[in-house]
Amino acid sequence: MSELRDRSAAFDDDVEDYDAVPWNYRAIFGSFKGIPWWAAILSALVPAFIGAFIDINSSKTVGWTFNVVFFVGALAGILLVQRRSLFAPMVQPPLILAATVPTLVLLTGGVAKGGLSSMALGLGKPLIDSFPVMAVTTAVTVLLGIVRIMIQKDPNRPSKDEVREAKAELKSRSKPAPRKPSREEPAEDRPRRPRPEGTPARRPRPEGTPARRPRAEGAARGERPAGQRRPRPPREDR
């Protein structure tokens, strides 16, 4: 019975490890999987369209409805997005504002007819009114993105000591091998080979013993001295 319990407990642990969400797929809190980048964009884009549509239909410009839903949608996107997809929610508030407000002003007829000046005034007033909330929302999303980058890190990343040891080992492996001495080097600079055990040492030359005669020039190549003929073989009598 105890063996069966141990096996079932080990199986449960394996299942929990298999179902665990990796650190770069999590949201800012908890261990559940965050939303992808496109869902984070939609979480800010859809409320911004709805709030801008309500305000522009009622007052021809953006108001508190747009400001509140725009800020809440961008905040939800940066908090719920996956750790690996933080860039899009961090920079999306100005892009969403530039896409929603002018589009809805044109679609709802908020631009008065009368030339470029009236068109610029009809498009510019909602953008100017929504600039403060856009600036605050962008600052908040960038700050939260930096906080998530600093807090949510790989728990299995090597420490500084391990990185230093790995660099030292790699450096020691990359050192060049000792260079073998060439024959052109002087004999005293060459490392001497150790004499094998049991090999008798050379006897010193006795005093007064003449040194070995140097070979004549050309003898090493097998040449005969000048003026010396090669001896003929004796002739056989027939």
Side-chain angles (χ1 to χ4, degrees), residues 40-205:
I41 294 176
L42 290 178
S43 67
L45 184 63
V46 173
F49 260 106
I50 296 174
F53 181 78
I54 294 173
D55 285 342
I56 292 174
N57 274 337
S58 60
S59 59
K60 303 299 180 182
T61 186
V62 294
W64 283 104
T65 304
F66 171 79
N67 295 341
V68 171
V69 297
F70 177 71
F71 180 81
V72 172
L75 189 65
I78 194 64
L79 293 178
L80 299 177
V81 75
Q82 298 173 0
R83 166 62 175 78
R84 64 173 189 164
S85 304
L86 283 173
F87 179 74
M90 288 173 66
V91 300
Q92 71 178 350
L95 302 177
I96 290 177
L97 178 65
T100 55
V101 174
T103 302
L104 288 174
V105 170
L106 293 174
L107 291 178
T108 56
V111 178
K113 297 180 180 180
L116 293 176
S117 59
S118 59
M119 182 179 295
L121 183 61
L123 292 175
K125 189 176 186 306
L127 290 175
I128 294 172
D129 293 340
S130 59
F131 180 80
V133 67
M134 184 271 296
V136 173
T137 305
T138 305
V140 171
T141 54
V142 171
L143 181 61
L144 288 176
I146 295 174
V147 169
R148 290 193 60 179
I149 292 173
M150 299 299 295
I151 293 176
Q152 292 180 291
K153 294 182 179 181
D154 187 3
N156 299 323
R157 68 185 185 278
S159 61
K160 294 182 179 179
D161 296 336
E162 293 176 353
V163 173
R164 194 180 298 110
E165 291 177 0
K167 287 182 178 179
E169 184 178 357
L170 183 61
K171 188 177 180 180
S172 62
R173 289 182 180 179
S174 61
K175 286 183 178 179
R179 186 177 61 88
K180 295 182 179 180
S182 61
R183 295 184 177 181
E184 298 178 356
E185 295 181 355
E188 57 271 9
D189 294 342
R190 300 180 191 173
R192 296 184 178 180
R193 296 181 180 178
R195 186 183 299 275
E197 296 182 0
T199 305
R202 290 185 178 181
R203 296 181 180 179
R205 186 185 300 275

Side-chain angles (χ1 to χ4, degrees), residues 28-50:
I28 192 173
F29 49 82
S31 59
F32 62 92
K33 188 175 182 180
I35 60 177
W37 62 270
W38 55 267
I41 294 176
L42 290 178
S43 67
L45 184 63
V46 173
F49 260 106
I50 296 174

